[in-house]
Amino acid sequence: MKKLLTALALVPTLLAGALAHAQAHSDKETKADVERHRAMAAAHEAAAKCLESGKGHDQCQKDLQAACKNLAIGKYCGMKHAH
């Protein structure tokens, strides 16, 4: 019961945050964000397929860097994992 009350107490805060986010971005900005996320996802999917095809890691990384240029923060569309 205590957890439920705590969770319910957070609802107004979460709603206020969602509303603030919605007000901070216009429909045009939100659409642009969606497009960027899809482009980043496509770049990462292409990198996965590149690795699956047997091309070398270095070539796949180079292709990913090219796909991500001017798309996101960093050379890897904002994602780089450890090896």
Side-chain angles (χ1 to χ4, degrees):
M1 182 68 162
K2 187 175 181 178
K3 288 182 182 181
L4 177 62
L5 291 175
T6 301
L8 288 174
L10 291 175
V11 170
T13 302
L14 294 173
L15 290 173
L19 180 61
H21 175 74
Q23 291 174 343
H25 293 290
S26 68
D27 288 343
K28 185 177 178 181
E29 290 168 323
T30 299
K31 185 176 180 179
D33 284 347
V34 168
E35 290 173 8
R36 276 191 297 272
H37 280 288
R38 287 199 172 121
M40 286 185 278
H44 282 277
E45 181 63 24
K49 287 180 181 181
C50 179
L51 292 170
E52 284 178 333
S53 75
K55 291 182 182 178
H57 179 266
D58 290 341
Q59 181 60 50
C60 295
Q61 286 292 91
K62 187 182 271 187
D63 293 349
L64 178 60
Q65 286 177 340
C68 292
K69 189 170 182 152
N70 299 321
L71 182 61
I73 297 170
K75 299 189 289 188
Y76 306 102
C77 292
M79 294 179 64
K80 181 165 171 65
H81 54 84
H83 280 260

